[in-house]
């Protein structure tokens, strides 16, 4: 019996070892404390009810910024001098941090997401800080990021000539213009009212690799250097060609994503925009920066703890890697270690860490626009939550010549009818404190909040057009009749009964008539306005297109600081 028992124990142990081996994918790091690609997926996040708060957004073809309550009533409007430069945030002091479009730019920079001016604007509309980052040598575009220390991170283009690009190792056939615009990151310390001190710079141009020309700079094996950016990466140059067609330019103009019109402007040199970095985020715990490159269909993480000198090299900082990429994910083909089947992101936007205390804390949320997905009849967008494989020291688990993990997202929102959520450009997503996710379908201006079982629990479509008229004949200042019943004043932030009063101001969100009365375009507008951007469909982009939307909880410090202020 003893021998038989021993044999059975051996058999069971052998089966267990084999099973464990099958469950462990190549590249998984199972060391204590590390987060790896072997992470359990979550089918459902959130609650059955929307998260109470105020939603901030600005249309692309407008100089105004809007704050609405949960019933869609207009709580406040900021009237500004300039068209949007895409992003806007509410600071803890109640002011806005806003990117604006330089109305009289110099230099060659005319592409998607044009900006050039950073503003801080008080509740009453007073501009308390305005800093221009736009001249012959550089131009801000797309996003900014307010930092805990009061500084601001921003993305900018710089110009490299044909000769500089060829010397850096680019294939001359990739040069459609006489120059190319790589991106760089700048941290500025505001000096009120109109200046700034530059604290840090990081330039993508300092971190290149190419394997075509031994006699040029940056020569090396692309697959062996995932920390570097391949100047000849095929995905980026394909994306540059696709976005710079006359049809694409017309569509982007209609969105308000690039300035000018065909009657007055020559073709903007949008094909020179090599990386098209469309978002930037900062993680104070890791002291790292997160970037989203649309043209590479990748997200990148870099070290923020370096000096500018260290950021230009390959050593220094907490990581010891200087300004090299610490992590990249979404499209392994871009660094020579995968093909079409390995691609996860498709011209994505708005990559951001999920903040402290929120469900999914430390993971990354990204709007995956979905243009060019293989194997589908029609493109569709989704929202991904991924858990980077990070070690306790803030480094990332990578294996030579293999795609970086994870192999799949922790959570993904795909609409029940996938094609019903699609935006070829723009767009974003935000994780809310109750686990719900606020999604902005940028082309159409549609905002939706998804909760448990991925059900839509709140929905609103921006009704404002470029001339600030509503698409209906109703009150041009309110967002629907429920706003009138609310007495043109939102709840006072910080008031414990604010949430309840906010719910009483308009129809309950469960009431089907809310879309007809409080948001006339409602779902009908969203369905018809999915856009005709590259890869797009529908009846064309709407003038109410938005870059992203942000929900502030009632206890947001900026709202609390405004307690007693007049809300519309």
């Amino acid at each position: 019996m003893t021998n038989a028992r021993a044999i059975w124990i051996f058999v069971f142990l052998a089966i267990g070892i084999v099973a464990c081996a099958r469950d462990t994918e190549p590249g998984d790091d199972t060391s204590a404390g590390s987060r790896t690609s072997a992470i359990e997926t979550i089918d459902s996040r959130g609650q059955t009810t929307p998260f109470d708060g105020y939603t901030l957004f600005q249309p692309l073809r407008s100089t105004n910024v809007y704050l609405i309550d949960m019933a869609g009533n207009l709580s406040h409007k900021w009237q500004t001098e300039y068209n949007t430069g895409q992003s806007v945030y509410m600071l803890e002091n109640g002011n806005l941090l806003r990117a604006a479009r330089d109305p009289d730019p110099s230099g060659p920079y005319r592409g998607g997401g044009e900006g050039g001016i950073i503003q801080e604007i008080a509740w009453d509309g007073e501009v308390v800080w305005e800093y221009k980052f736009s001249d012959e040598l550089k131009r801000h575009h797309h996003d900014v990021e307010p930092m805990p220390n009061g500084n601001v991170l921003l993305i900018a283009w710089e110009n490299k000539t044909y000769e500089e690009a060829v010397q850096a190792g680019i294939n001359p056939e990739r040069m459609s213009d006489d120059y190319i615009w790589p991106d760089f990151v700048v941290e500025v310390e505001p000096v009120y009212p109109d200046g700034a001190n530059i604290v840090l710079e990081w330039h993508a141009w300092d971190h290149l690799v190419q394997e075509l020309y031994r006699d040029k700079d940056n020569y090396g094996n692309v697959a062996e250097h995932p920390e570097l950016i391949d100047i000849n990466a095929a995905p980026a140059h394909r994306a540059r060609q696709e976005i710079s067609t006359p049809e694409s330019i017309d569509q982007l103009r209609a969105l308000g994503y690039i300035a000018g019109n065909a009657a007055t402007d020559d073709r903007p040199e949008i094909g020179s925009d090599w990386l098209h970095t469309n978002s930037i985020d900062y993680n104070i715990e890791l002291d790292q920066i997160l970037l989203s490159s649309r043209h590479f269909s990748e997200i990148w993480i870099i070290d923020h703890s370096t000096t500018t000198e260290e950021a230009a090299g390959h050593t220094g900082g907490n990581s010891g890697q200087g300004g090299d990429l610490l992590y990249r994910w979404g499209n392994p083909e871009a660094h020579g270690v995968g093909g079409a089947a390995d691609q996860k992101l498709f011209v994505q936007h708005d990559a951001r860490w999920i903040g402290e205390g929120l469900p999914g804390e430390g993971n990354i949320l990204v709007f995956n626009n979905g243009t060019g997905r293989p194997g589908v009849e029609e493109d569709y967008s989704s929202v991904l939550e991924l858990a980077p494989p990070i070690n306790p020291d803030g480094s990332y688990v990578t294996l030579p010549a293999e795609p970086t993990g994870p192999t799949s997202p922790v959570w993904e929102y795909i609409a029940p009818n996938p094609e019903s959520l699609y935006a070829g450009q723009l767009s974003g997503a935000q994780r809310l404190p109750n686990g719900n996710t606020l999604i902005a379908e940028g082309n159409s201006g549609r905002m939706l909040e998804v909760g448990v079982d991925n059900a839509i629990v709140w929905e609103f479509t921006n009704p404002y057009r470029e001339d600030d008229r509503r698409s209906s004949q109703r009150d041009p200042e309110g967002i629907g009749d429920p706003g009138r019943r609310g007495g043109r004043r939102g709840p006072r932030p910080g008031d414990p009964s604010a949430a309840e009063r906010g719910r009483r101001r308009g129809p309950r969100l469960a009431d089907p008539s809310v879309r007809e009365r409080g948001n006339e375009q409602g779902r009908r507008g969203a369905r018809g306005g999915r856009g005709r951007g590259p890869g797009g469909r529908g009846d064309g982009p709407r003038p109410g297109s938005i870059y992203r939307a942000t929900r502030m909880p009632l206890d947001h410090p900026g709202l609390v600081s405004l307690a007693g202020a007049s809300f519309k």
Side-chain angles (χ1 to χ4, degrees):
M1 291 294 294
T2 301
N3 291 338
R5 186 178 295 112
I7 291 172
W8 279 111
I9 291 173
F10 175 79
V11 170
F12 284 126
L13 286 174
I15 292 172
I17 291 170
V18 171
C20 289
R22 288 176 177 171
D23 289 340
T24 304
E25 299 180 13
D28 285 354
D29 182 343
T30 56
S31 60
S34 66
R35 299 174 58 190
T36 75
S37 56
I39 292 177
E40 182 179 356
T41 59
I42 297 171
D43 293 329
S44 178
R45 278 204 184 279
Q47 307 295 322
T48 58
T49 56
F51 178 76
D52 204 2
Y54 289 87
T55 303
L56 182 73
F57 65 93
Q58 56 180 352
L60 264 65
R61 300 184 67 90
S62 174
T63 59
N64 297 331
V65 182
Y66 300 94
L67 186 71
I68 61 170
D69 66 17
M70 294 301 294
N73 302 312
L74 180 63
S75 295
H76 193 66
K77 178 174 72 174
W78 292 262
Q79 294 177 297
T80 75
E81 182 179 356
Y82 308 119
N83 276 89
T84 176
Q86 317 315 317
S87 60
V88 63
Y89 300 85
M90 178 172 279
L91 302 175
E92 293 191 355
N93 63 3
N95 292 349
L96 295 184
L97 180 68
R98 177 180 186 261
R101 179 178 294 166
D102 183 356
D104 188 26
S106 57
Y109 312 107
R110 299 172 59 221
E114 297 171 63
I117 296 173
I118 316 300
Q119 298 176 307
E120 184 177 336
I121 304 175
W123 179 261
D124 62 3
E126 178 188 3
V127 177
V128 299
W129 179 61
E130 181 171 302
Y131 178 59
K132 184 173 179 177
F133 201 79
S134 175
D135 57 31
E136 292 286 343
L137 301 177
K138 61 188 182 296
R139 190 176 187 192
H140 154 267
H141 63 93
H142 281 95
D143 203 7
V144 296
E145 168 71 3
M147 302 184 69
N149 63 359
N151 291 353
V152 179
L153 289 171
L154 56 91
I155 310 164
W157 290 305
E158 59 181 335
N159 192 48
K160 299 296 180 181
T161 65
Y162 177 93
E163 291 76 18
E164 288 174 309
V166 170
Q167 181 58 41
I170 198 169
N171 181 345
E173 295 182 1
R174 305 275 197 199
M175 293 293 293
S176 58
D177 299 303
D178 293 333
Y179 34 75
I180 191 170
W181 310 336
D183 287 324
F184 69 110
V185 171
V186 182
E187 178 182 347
V188 298
E189 176 191 19
V191 176
Y192 295 83
D194 58 6
N197 296 321
I198 294 180
V199 177
L200 175 70
E201 293 187 26
W202 173 90
H203 295 256
W205 202 253
D206 294 327
H207 303 278
L208 303 179
V209 65
Q210 57 87 19
E211 56 187 14
L212 298 183
Y213 309 105
R214 291 179 179 271
D215 60 336
K216 303 298 183 184
D217 299 341
N218 308 305
Y219 181 75
N221 186 306
V222 170
E224 293 178 359
H225 291 282
E227 77 280 6
L228 302 177
I229 304 165
D230 180 9
I231 196 171
N232 293 304
H237 293 289
R238 286 198 301 265
R240 288 173 57 207
Q241 292 173 348
E242 291 165 0
I243 203 171
S244 59
T245 64
E247 295 79 11
S248 174
I249 290 171
D250 288 344
Q251 292 151 6
L252 294 174
R253 278 198 178 110
L255 284 169
Y257 200 42
I258 57 176
N261 60 73
T264 60
D265 284 353
D266 295 330
R267 181 180 69 85
E269 307 297 342
I270 192 171
S272 299
D273 182 4
W274 173 41
L275 303 177
H276 197 95
T277 305
N278 54 37
S279 71
I280 185 169
D281 194 29
Y282 175 68
N283 186 311
I284 187 173
E285 180 182 356
L286 299 172
D287 203 8
Q288 295 174 359
I289 296 170
L290 173 64
L291 302 169
S292 165
S293 170
R294 178 196 186 273
H295 287 359
F296 272 69
S297 287
E298 284 190 306
I299 58 172
W300 299 337
I301 293 177
I302 58 175
D303 194 343
H304 170 263
S305 70
T306 64
T307 64
T308 295
E309 183 179 5
E310 290 171 332
H314 312 288
T315 60
N318 294 338
S319 66
Q321 295 181 235
D324 286 346
L325 305 187
L326 305 181
Y327 177 75
R328 64 194 305 168
W329 189 83
N331 189 8
E333 182 191 2
H335 54 105
V337 297
D342 300 302
Q343 187 171 349
K344 309 296 184 184
L345 296 178
F346 301 87
V347 298
Q348 79 292 333
H349 285 73
D350 196 24
R352 62 173 87 180
W353 276 288
I354 297 175
E356 182 180 0
L358 300 178
E361 174 183 348
N363 292 345
I364 292 173
L365 202 65
V366 58
F367 188 96
N368 194 10
N369 294 72
T371 302
R373 291 181 191 266
V376 299
E377 293 184 4
E378 290 188 84
D379 292 328
Y380 65 89
S381 299
S382 62
V383 176
L384 301 178
E385 176 188 338
L386 64 119
I390 188 169
N391 292 313
D393 63 357
S395 63
Y396 294 86
V397 179
T398 59
L399 290 177
E402 287 192 20
T404 308
T407 56
S408 59
V410 171
W411 172 85
E412 182 173 18
Y413 174 75
I414 300 175
N417 174 17
E419 297 83 7
S420 68
L421 177 69
Y422 178 69
Q425 302 87 15
L426 310 166
S427 309
Q430 176 195 5
R431 176 60 42 79
L432 301 175
N434 68 346
N436 291 356
T437 303
L438 179 67
I439 301 171
E441 187 185 52
N443 289 43
S444 66
R446 176 188 176 213
M447 297 160 247
L448 60 151
E449 181 181 342
V450 296
V452 67
D453 296 327
N454 288 344
I456 296 176
V457 298
W458 180 88
E459 188 171 4
F460 178 81
T461 298
N462 169 35
Y464 285 99
R465 297 186 180 275
E466 60 187 285
D467 57 3
D468 198 29
R469 290 181 302 172
R470 295 206 59 216
S471 58
S472 73
Q473 299 302 313
R474 293 190 181 184
D475 173 24
E477 291 297 315
I479 312 260
D481 289 343
R484 289 188 177 274
R485 292 200 297 273
R488 292 185 175 274
R489 179 182 287 269
R492 293 180 178 178
D495 185 339
S497 62
E500 180 58 32
R501 289 207 310 275
R503 283 189 287 271
R504 290 203 304 264
R505 280 196 306 277
R508 293 187 302 274
L509 288 172
D511 181 354
S513 66
V514 71
R515 285 193 295 273
E516 283 67 46
R517 288 184 286 154
N519 176 18
E520 296 143 4
Q521 289 180 340
R523 193 169 293 187
R524 294 191 302 275
R527 294 297 181 266
R530 280 157 46 205
R532 286 188 184 272
R537 300 176 300 278
D539 62 359
R542 292 176 175 270
S545 301
I546 60 175
Y547 177 64
R548 64 160 70 110
T550 303
R551 175 80 49 79
M552 275 86 62
L554 298 176
D555 61 354
H556 182 282
L559 293 176
V560 172
S561 70
L562 295 167
S566 175
F567 272 44
K568 185 72 178 102

